[in-house]
Amino acid sequence: MEPLRPKTPENFFRATRYIGCATKPRACPDDEGGEVVFAGRSNTGKSSAINAICGHRGLARTSKTPGRTRAIHFFEVAPGRRIVDLPGYGYARVAAGVRQDWAVWITRYFETRLSLRGAVVVMDARRPLTTQDEQAVDYLRNLPLHVLLTKSDKLKRAEADAALREVRRALSGGAVSVQTFSTLKKQGLDEARTKLAGWLNTA
Ligand code: GDP
């Protein structure tokens, strides 16, 4: 596929639109081109990050109810280039049997999806690398990873820098990059856009 040549990282995402959700592999869009998944604990600011990166306030739904949805949501950045919003982890309210089914189908998605180019793992900058975050990183490690340390506006500059260093050190040794991010202060938007556009342009 021809690389897109936007003037700015922001333009690359401007026309992003929601194209639907899937709760089983057959319902996913055709597995062609390239896609980037977003994973993270519920309430870390994953939906807000997708909205900010794409410059659409209402694109991904920000939720007050953790673990509200078990569907995978797809957003088309350009033909054949997609952002994929995975359900937030932390499913205390979901029955064990449902959790099992969910795990099976998400696992199948990761094992079979050829268009996957990379994963964005969203963590709260104030408490990164929770057990669930580490499990997600381990699970996704065969993909290039980009970590967003969100809500950096809630930290002092020195604290945010320390969090960045800590996570970089903990996750060193692989295709992993880490940045701080704030939708509130619009901090780190272009860094995230540039990373994602690079991945999607290798489709
Ligand atoms: P999700 O469950 O991970 O998709 O999280 P949401 O995007 O729904 O955000 C959860 C809560 O965190 C909401 O109340 C957001 O307004 C808030 N939030 C998201 N990003 C930021 C940020 O960068 N800074 C601050 N201070 N709050 C944020």
Side-chain angles (χ1 to χ4, degrees), residues 106-128:
I106 297 280
T107 302
R108 197 172 315 142
Y109 167 83
F110 277 107
E111 285 173 355
T112 57
R113 199 76 178 162
L114 298 174
S115 51
L116 265 177
R117 292 289 173 272
V120 176
V121 181
V122 181
M123 302 180 192
D124 190 318
R126 295 167 296 173
R127 35 180 179 277

Side-chain angles (χ1 to χ4, degrees), residues 1-31:
M1 195 176 288
E2 268 296 291
L4 299 180
R5 301 203 184 284
K7 287 194 195 77
T8 65
E10 189 179 0
N11 282 351
F12 190 90
F13 295 94
R14 187 155 281 163
T16 303
R17 63 190 184 97
Y18 181 65
I19 54 169
C21 72
T23 50
K24 51 181 186 275
R26 265 181 295 125
C28 293
D30 290 347
D31 188 10

Side-chain angles (χ1 to χ4, degrees), residues 76-94:
E76 189 181 68
V77 175
R81 292 172 169 88
R82 294 172 299 277
I83 286 176
V84 183
D85 185 12
L86 296 179
Y89 21 94
Y91 309 106
R93 294 182 193 192
V94 179

Side-chain angles (χ1 to χ4, degrees), residues 6 17 27 38-39 44 52 66 75-76 96 105 109 112 116 134 151 172 188:
R17 63 190 184 97
F38 274 68
T44 47
F75 303 91
E76 189 181 68
W105 109 252
Y109 167 83
T112 57
L116 265 177
E134 286 183 339
K151 309 192 188 182
S172 64

Side-chain angles (χ1 to χ4, degrees), residues 6-65:
K7 287 194 195 77
T8 65
E10 189 179 0
N11 282 351
F12 190 90
F13 295 94
R14 187 155 281 163
T16 303
R17 63 190 184 97
Y18 181 65
I19 54 169
C21 72
T23 50
K24 51 181 186 275
R26 265 181 295 125
C28 293
D30 290 347
D31 188 10
E32 58 189 21
E35 64 193 24
V36 170
V37 295
F38 274 68
R41 264 185 321 117
S42 302
N43 220 35
T44 47
K46 179 162 60 72
S47 311
S48 303
I50 293 172
N51 288 341
I53 287 166
C54 299
H56 290 245
R57 196 163 285 183
L59 197 59
R61 284 175 61 184
T62 59
S63 126
K64 294 269 178 289
T65 315

